Protein backbone atom coordinates (compact mmCIF):
# COMPACT_ATOMS: atom_id res chain seq x y z
CA UNK A 1 0.00 0.00 0.00
CA UNK A 2 1.23 3.45 -0.85
CA UNK A 3 2.04 5.21 2.40
CA UNK A 4 0.70 8.49 1.14
CA UNK A 5 -2.76 6.99 1.02
CA UNK A 6 -2.66 6.94 4.76
CA UNK A 7 -2.18 10.65 5.18
CA UNK A 8 -5.23 11.64 3.18
CA UNK A 9 -7.64 13.66 5.28
CA UNK A 10 -5.91 12.90 8.54
CA UNK A 11 -4.16 16.22 9.09
CA UNK A 12 -3.50 16.71 12.78
CA UNK A 13 -6.82 15.53 14.08
CA UNK A 14 -6.56 13.29 17.08
CA UNK A 15 -7.65 9.82 16.04
CA UNK A 16 -8.13 7.15 18.66
CA UNK A 17 -6.98 4.23 16.60
CA UNK A 18 -3.97 2.13 17.50
CA UNK A 19 -0.80 2.31 15.49
CA UNK A 20 -0.32 -0.36 12.87
CA UNK A 21 2.75 -2.35 13.74
CA UNK A 22 4.62 -1.79 10.50
CA UNK A 23 4.73 1.98 10.34
CA UNK A 24 4.52 2.85 14.01
CA UNK A 25 7.80 4.73 14.08
CA UNK A 26 7.59 6.29 10.63
CA UNK A 27 7.03 10.04 10.51
CA UNK A 28 4.61 11.10 7.79
CA UNK A 29 4.11 14.64 6.51
CA UNK A 30 1.14 16.28 8.16
CA UNK A 31 0.87 13.70 10.93
CA UNK A 32 1.82 14.64 14.47
CA UNK A 33 3.75 11.57 15.54
CA UNK A 34 3.35 12.28 19.25
CA UNK A 35 -0.37 11.60 18.99
CA UNK A 36 -2.24 8.40 18.21
CA UNK A 37 -2.57 8.35 14.46
CA UNK A 38 -4.54 6.42 11.92
CA UNK A 39 -1.68 4.64 10.20
CA UNK A 40 -1.97 1.38 8.34
CA UNK A 41 0.32 -1.44 9.29
CA UNK A 42 0.89 -4.42 7.04
CA UNK A 43 -2.15 -6.63 6.63
CA UNK A 44 -2.10 -10.07 8.18
CA UNK A 45 -3.72 -13.36 7.35
CA UNK A 46 -6.63 -13.87 9.79
CA UNK A 47 -6.18 -17.67 9.99
CA UNK A 48 -4.59 -20.71 8.41
CA UNK A 49 -6.92 -23.14 6.69
CA UNK A 50 -8.69 -24.21 3.54
CA UNK A 51 -11.12 -21.95 1.73
CA UNK A 52 -14.46 -23.73 1.66
CA UNK A 53 -16.73 -20.96 0.39
CA UNK A 54 -15.96 -17.78 -1.52
CA UNK A 55 -17.37 -14.27 -1.61
CA UNK A 56 -20.76 -13.97 -3.38
CA UNK A 57 -20.31 -17.04 -5.55
CA UNK A 58 -23.03 -18.04 -8.06
CA UNK A 59 -24.26 -20.71 -5.64
CA UNK A 60 -24.17 -18.34 -2.63
CA UNK A 61 -24.78 -14.84 -4.06
CA UNK A 62 -25.52 -13.33 -0.63
CA UNK A 63 -22.43 -14.79 1.12
CA UNK A 64 -20.59 -11.58 2.04
CA UNK A 65 -17.40 -13.18 3.29
CA UNK A 66 -14.90 -15.93 2.62
CA UNK A 67 -14.86 -19.10 4.73
CA UNK A 68 -11.57 -20.56 5.96
CA UNK A 69 -11.87 -24.01 7.54
CA UNK A 70 -9.51 -25.61 10.04
CA UNK A 71 -9.84 -27.48 13.33
CA UNK A 72 -11.77 -26.03 16.26
CA UNK A 73 -9.53 -23.81 18.37
CA UNK A 74 -7.28 -22.73 15.49
CA UNK A 75 -5.85 -19.28 16.24
CA UNK A 76 -7.50 -16.30 14.55
CA UNK A 77 -5.45 -13.13 14.13
CA UNK A 78 -6.40 -9.49 13.68
CA UNK A 79 -6.01 -8.73 9.96
CA UNK A 80 -4.63 -5.29 10.81
CA UNK A 81 -4.22 -2.94 13.73
CA UNK A 82 -7.32 -1.18 14.97
CA UNK A 83 -9.98 -1.02 17.64
CA UNK A 84 -12.42 -3.79 18.50
CA UNK A 85 -15.86 -2.25 17.96
CA UNK A 86 -17.99 -5.35 18.44
CA UNK A 87 -17.77 -8.70 20.24
CA UNK A 88 -20.45 -11.37 20.53
CA UNK A 89 -19.89 -14.39 22.78
CA UNK A 90 -23.38 -15.68 23.68
CA UNK A 91 -23.90 -17.85 20.61
CA UNK A 92 -23.69 -21.63 20.25
CA UNK A 93 -23.56 -24.21 17.44
CA UNK A 94 -26.88 -24.26 15.61
CA UNK A 95 -27.87 -20.80 16.87
CA UNK A 96 -30.20 -19.24 14.28
CA UNK A 97 -30.41 -15.77 15.85
CA UNK A 98 -28.96 -12.82 13.91
CA UNK A 99 -25.32 -11.96 14.65
CA UNK A 100 -23.35 -8.72 14.91
CA UNK A 101 -23.65 -8.29 11.14
CA UNK A 102 -26.45 -9.53 8.85
CA UNK A 103 -26.38 -13.32 8.78
CA UNK A 104 -26.33 -15.97 11.47
CA UNK A 105 -22.60 -16.08 11.99
CA UNK A 106 -22.51 -16.90 15.72
CA UNK A 107 -19.86 -15.59 18.07
CA UNK A 108 -17.96 -12.81 16.38
CA UNK A 109 -15.43 -9.98 16.55
CA UNK A 110 -15.61 -6.76 14.53
CA UNK A 111 -12.52 -4.53 14.21
CA UNK A 112 -12.32 -0.97 12.90
CA UNK A 113 -9.11 -0.18 10.97
CA UNK A 114 -7.81 2.80 9.02
CA UNK A 115 -9.37 4.50 6.01
CA UNK A 116 -12.87 3.15 6.62
CA UNK A 117 -11.98 -0.54 6.66
CA UNK A 118 -13.54 -3.00 9.07
CA UNK A 119 -12.93 -6.74 9.37
CA UNK A 120 -15.38 -9.27 10.77
CA UNK A 121 -14.67 -12.73 12.17
CA UNK A 122 -17.63 -15.08 12.62
CA UNK A 123 -18.57 -18.58 13.91
CA UNK A 124 -15.90 -18.22 16.64
CA UNK A 125 -15.45 -20.76 19.40
CA UNK A 126 -14.33 -17.96 21.71
CA UNK A 127 -13.04 -14.40 21.61
CA UNK A 128 -10.00 -13.20 23.55
CA UNK A 129 -10.56 -9.46 23.04
CA UNK A 130 -13.16 -7.06 24.40
CA UNK A 131 -15.03 -4.16 22.87
CA UNK A 132 -12.88 -1.01 22.84
CA UNK A 133 -9.59 -2.94 22.92
CA UNK A 134 -6.80 -1.74 20.64
CA UNK A 135 -5.23 -4.60 18.69
CA UNK A 136 -2.21 -4.91 16.43
CA UNK A 137 -1.94 -6.80 13.14
CA UNK A 138 -1.34 -10.48 13.75
CA UNK A 139 -2.50 -10.36 17.36
CA UNK A 140 -4.49 -13.43 18.41
CA UNK A 141 -8.10 -12.34 18.89
CA UNK A 142 -10.14 -15.55 18.90
CA UNK A 143 -10.35 -19.29 18.39
CA UNK A 144 -12.03 -20.90 15.40
CA UNK A 145 -15.37 -22.58 16.04
CA UNK A 146 -18.72 -23.49 14.57
CA UNK A 147 -21.20 -21.30 16.44
CA UNK A 148 -24.25 -19.99 14.59
CA UNK A 149 -25.47 -21.38 11.28
CA UNK A 150 -22.44 -23.54 10.50
CA UNK A 151 -21.78 -27.17 9.63
CA UNK A 152 -18.19 -27.40 10.90
CA UNK A 153 -15.35 -25.33 12.37
CA UNK A 154 -14.45 -22.44 10.09
CA UNK A 155 -13.85 -18.71 10.09
CA UNK A 156 -16.35 -16.52 8.26
CA UNK A 157 -14.15 -13.55 7.36
CA UNK A 158 -15.45 -10.28 5.95
CA UNK A 159 -13.71 -7.09 4.87
CA UNK A 160 -15.93 -4.02 4.78
CA UNK A 161 -14.95 -0.81 3.00
CA UNK A 162 -17.01 2.09 4.34
CA UNK A 163 -19.64 -0.42 5.42
CA UNK A 164 -19.88 -2.45 2.21
CA UNK A 165 -18.49 -6.00 2.08
CA UNK A 166 -15.73 -6.49 -0.48
CA UNK A 167 -14.00 -9.68 -1.60
CA UNK A 168 -11.60 -10.61 1.25
CA UNK A 169 -9.54 -12.96 -0.89
CA UNK A 170 -8.68 -10.41 -3.57
CA UNK A 171 -8.33 -7.64 -0.98
CA UNK A 172 -5.60 -9.59 0.84
CA UNK A 173 -4.08 -10.90 -2.41
CA UNK A 174 -3.55 -7.28 -3.44
CA UNK A 175 -1.54 -6.90 -0.24
CA UNK A 176 0.63 -9.95 -0.83
CA UNK A 177 -1.32 -12.35 1.38
CA UNK A 178 -3.00 -15.58 0.30
CA UNK A 179 -6.02 -15.96 2.57
CA UNK A 180 -5.67 -19.13 4.65
CA UNK A 181 -2.19 -19.88 3.31
CA UNK A 182 0.28 -17.10 4.07
CA UNK A 183 1.62 -16.65 7.57
CA UNK A 184 0.52 -13.49 9.39
CA UNK A 185 2.54 -10.51 8.23
CA UNK A 186 1.56 -7.68 10.52
CA UNK A 187 3.91 -7.98 13.45
CA UNK A 188 6.92 -9.35 11.64
CA UNK A 189 5.68 -12.33 9.66
CA UNK A 190 6.59 -15.97 9.90
CA UNK A 191 6.27 -16.35 13.65
CA UNK A 192 4.11 -19.02 15.30
CA UNK A 193 1.61 -18.35 18.08
CA UNK A 194 2.24 -19.91 21.49
CA UNK A 195 -0.60 -19.58 23.93
CA UNK A 196 -2.28 -21.07 26.96
CA UNK A 197 -2.44 -24.87 26.86
CA UNK A 198 0.17 -25.43 24.16
CA UNK A 199 2.51 -28.36 24.68
CA UNK A 200 5.44 -28.27 22.26
CA UNK A 201 9.14 -27.72 21.85
CA UNK A 202 8.38 -24.20 20.60
CA UNK A 203 6.64 -23.60 23.94
CA UNK A 204 9.85 -24.79 25.63
CA UNK A 205 11.86 -22.32 23.52
CA UNK A 206 9.54 -19.53 24.66
CA UNK A 207 9.93 -20.57 28.30
CA UNK A 208 13.74 -20.43 28.08
CA UNK A 209 13.58 -17.02 26.40
CA UNK A 210 11.15 -15.65 29.00
CA UNK A 211 13.58 -16.80 31.70
CA UNK A 212 16.43 -15.13 29.82
CA UNK A 213 14.44 -11.88 29.99
CA UNK A 214 14.08 -12.24 33.76
CA UNK A 215 10.51 -13.59 33.72
CA UNK A 216 11.23 -17.07 34.98
CA UNK A 217 9.28 -19.95 33.44
CA UNK A 218 9.84 -23.66 34.02
CA UNK A 219 11.06 -25.11 30.71
CA UNK A 220 8.74 -28.12 30.69
CA UNK A 221 7.28 -27.49 27.23
CA UNK A 222 3.80 -26.96 28.64
CA UNK A 223 2.56 -23.38 28.26
CA UNK A 224 0.21 -23.31 31.24
CA UNK A 225 -0.98 -20.55 33.55
CA UNK A 226 2.48 -19.93 35.06
CA UNK A 227 4.02 -19.51 31.61
CA UNK A 228 1.15 -17.26 30.53
CA UNK A 229 1.76 -15.11 33.61
CA UNK A 230 5.48 -14.88 32.76
CA UNK A 231 4.58 -13.98 29.16
CA UNK A 232 2.23 -11.22 30.34
CA UNK A 233 4.91 -9.81 32.65
CA UNK A 234 7.37 -9.83 29.75
CA UNK A 235 4.86 -8.12 27.44
CA UNK A 236 4.09 -5.43 30.03
CA UNK A 237 7.81 -4.78 30.48
CA UNK A 238 8.17 -4.42 26.69
CA UNK A 239 5.16 -2.11 26.36
CA UNK A 240 3.19 -4.72 24.38
CA UNK A 241 -0.41 -5.81 24.68
CA UNK A 242 -0.23 -8.15 27.70
CA UNK A 243 -2.40 -10.98 26.42
CA UNK A 244 -0.02 -13.80 27.34
CA UNK A 245 0.06 -14.99 23.72
CA UNK A 246 3.52 -15.10 22.12
CA UNK A 247 2.64 -14.31 18.51
CA UNK A 248 4.12 -12.31 15.63
CA UNK A 249 4.12 -9.08 17.65
CA UNK A 250 5.90 -10.49 20.71
CA UNK A 251 8.47 -12.76 19.04
CA UNK A 252 10.75 -10.00 17.71
CA UNK A 253 10.96 -8.62 21.27
CA UNK A 254 11.50 -12.06 22.79
CA UNK A 255 14.36 -13.46 20.73
CA UNK A 256 17.93 -12.89 21.85
CA UNK A 257 20.93 -13.21 19.54
CA UNK A 258 22.93 -16.33 20.37
CA UNK A 259 26.49 -16.92 19.14
CA UNK A 260 29.61 -18.87 20.02
CA UNK A 261 30.24 -18.44 23.72
CA UNK A 262 26.65 -17.45 24.61
CA UNK A 263 25.59 -18.99 27.91
CA UNK A 264 22.42 -19.39 29.92
CA UNK A 265 18.75 -19.56 29.08
CA UNK A 266 19.02 -17.86 25.69
CA UNK A 267 21.61 -20.46 24.65
CA UNK A 268 19.31 -23.22 25.94
CA UNK A 269 16.48 -21.75 23.87
CA UNK A 270 18.61 -21.89 20.73
CA UNK A 271 19.72 -25.46 21.50
CA UNK A 272 16.11 -26.62 21.99
CA UNK A 273 15.13 -24.85 18.75
CA UNK A 274 17.99 -26.52 16.84
CA UNK A 275 16.99 -29.89 18.31
CA UNK A 276 13.52 -29.39 16.80
CA UNK A 277 15.36 -29.70 13.49
CA UNK A 278 17.31 -32.80 14.46
CA UNK A 279 20.51 -31.29 15.88
CA UNK A 280 20.62 -33.68 18.86
CA UNK A 281 22.38 -31.17 21.11
CA UNK A 282 22.74 -31.48 24.88
CA UNK A 283 20.67 -28.57 26.25
CA UNK A 284 23.30 -27.29 28.68
CA UNK A 285 23.11 -23.55 28.00
CA UNK A 286 26.68 -23.46 26.74
CA UNK A 287 26.68 -22.47 23.06
CA UNK A 288 30.07 -23.89 22.11
CA UNK A 289 31.57 -25.24 18.93
CA UNK A 290 29.17 -28.20 18.69
CA UNK A 291 26.17 -25.88 18.92
CA UNK A 292 27.70 -23.45 16.44
CA UNK A 293 28.25 -26.30 13.99
CA UNK A 294 24.60 -27.35 14.40
CA UNK A 295 23.50 -23.75 13.74
CA UNK A 296 25.66 -23.60 10.61
CA UNK A 297 24.24 -26.91 9.35
CA UNK A 298 20.71 -25.61 9.91
CA UNK A 299 21.46 -22.32 8.15
CA UNK A 300 23.01 -24.14 5.21
CA UNK A 301 19.98 -26.44 4.89
CA UNK A 302 17.60 -23.46 4.93
CA UNK A 303 19.52 -21.26 2.52
CA UNK A 304 20.43 -18.69 5.18
CA UNK A 305 23.76 -16.95 5.65
CA UNK A 306 25.98 -19.65 7.18
CA UNK A 307 27.69 -17.94 10.11
CA UNK A 308 26.58 -19.99 13.14
CA UNK A 309 25.07 -16.80 14.57
CA UNK A 310 21.45 -17.19 15.69
CA UNK A 311 19.98 -13.77 14.87
CA UNK A 312 16.43 -12.72 13.90
CA UNK A 313 16.29 -14.47 10.50
CA UNK A 314 17.66 -17.72 11.87
CA UNK A 315 15.36 -17.54 14.89
CA UNK A 316 12.33 -17.01 12.69
CA UNK A 317 13.25 -20.03 10.59
CA UNK A 318 13.97 -22.15 13.68
CA UNK A 319 10.56 -21.69 15.30
ZN1 LIG B 1 -19.18 -17.61 5.59
Amino acid sequence: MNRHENTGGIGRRRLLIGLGAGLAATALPGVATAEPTLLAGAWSNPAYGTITSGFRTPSRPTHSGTDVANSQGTAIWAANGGTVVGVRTNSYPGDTRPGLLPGRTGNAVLIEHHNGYRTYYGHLYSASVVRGQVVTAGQTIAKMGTTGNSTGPHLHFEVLANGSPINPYTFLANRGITLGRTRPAGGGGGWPSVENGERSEVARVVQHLLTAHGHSAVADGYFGSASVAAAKAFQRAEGLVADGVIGPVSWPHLIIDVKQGSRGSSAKAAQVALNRHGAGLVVDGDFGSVSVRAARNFQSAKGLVVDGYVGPLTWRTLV
Side-chain angles (χ1 to χ4, degrees):
M1 177 175 293
N2 184 325
R3 288 179 181 188
H4 295 292
E5 283 178 33
N6 306 321
T7 63
I10 291 178
R12 291 179 183 273
R13 278 182 294 141
R14 182 178 176 81
L15 295 163
L16 297 173
I17 302 292
L19 291 170
L23 298 177
T26 307
L28 294 175
V31 175
T33 52
E35 297 181 359
T37 50
L38 201 59
L39 301 181
W43 285 81
S44 171
N45 212 329
Y48 290 146
T50 305
I51 292 178
T52 51
S53 189
F55 176 80
R56 293 181 180 166
T57 56
S59 60
R60 295 185 73 189
T62 62
H63 186 234
S64 294
T66 299
D67 294 345
V68 180
N70 206 328
S71 55
Q72 177 151 299
T74 295
I76 292 172
W77 302 295
N80 205 333
T83 301
V84 176
V85 293
V87 177
R88 183 190 184 202
T89 56
N90 67 356
S91 187
Y92 45 83
D95 184 10
T96 56
R97 297 172 297 170
L100 276 181
L101 291 182
R104 296 162 292 167
T105 45
N107 289 334
V109 170
L110 180 63
I111 301 176
E112 171 118 22
H113 307 288
H114 59 96
N115 286 4
Y117 289 119
R118 288 182 166 202
T119 52
Y120 177 78
Y121 313 76
H123 300 308
L124 306 175
Y125 177 77
S126 61
S128 54
V129 291
V130 295
R131 192 180 156 96
Q133 186 172 336
V134 173
V135 295
T136 53
Q139 180 176 336
T140 302
I141 56 167
K143 286 184 160 72
M144 190 177 288
T146 185
T147 54
N149 180 28
S150 168
T151 55
H154 75 281
L155 169 68
H156 172 86
F157 178 62
E158 292 190 23
V159 178
L160 301 107
N162 298 314
S164 298
I166 57 176
N167 188 325
Y169 188 89
T170 53
F171 178 83
L172 289 178
N174 287 338
R175 287 152 184 81
I177 293 162
T178 306
L179 180 56
R181 291 285 171 204
T182 315
R183 282 166 173 254
W191 299 100
S193 248
V194 174
E195 60 187 286
N196 193 18
E198 171 149 350
R199 192 184 299 277
S200 70
E201 289 307 292
V202 176
R204 196 188 306 274
V205 169
V206 170
Q207 289 167 329
H208 280 305
L209 287 171
L210 287 169
T211 298
H213 280 277
H215 305 284
S216 188
V218 177
D220 58 4
Y222 175 65
F223 208 73
S225 56
S227 294
V228 170
K232 287 182 177 177
F234 160 76
Q235 289 169 324
R236 274 192 294 273
E238 295 287 321
L240 303 169
V241 175
D243 60 1
V245 178
I246 300 299
V249 176
S250 293
W251 272 106
H253 294 259
L254 184 64
I255 54 170
I256 296 169
D257 288 2
V258 172
K259 59 183 188 295
Q260 174 130 28
S262 292
R263 288 176 188 276
S265 292
S266 60
K268 286 183 182 175
Q271 289 170 326
V272 171
L274 285 163
N275 285 349
R276 285 187 70 237
H277 298 271
L281 297 170
V282 176
V283 180
D284 59 1
D286 183 356
F287 208 78
S289 58
V290 176
S291 295
V292 169
R293 190 157 57 241
R296 292 175 65 95
N297 288 342
F298 173 78
Q299 290 167 328
S300 175
K302 297 294 181 184
L304 300 166
V305 174
V306 180
D307 56 7
Y309 186 102
V310 183
L313 271 178
T314 300
W315 266 120
R316 198 173 64 178
T317 313
L318 277 169
V319 298

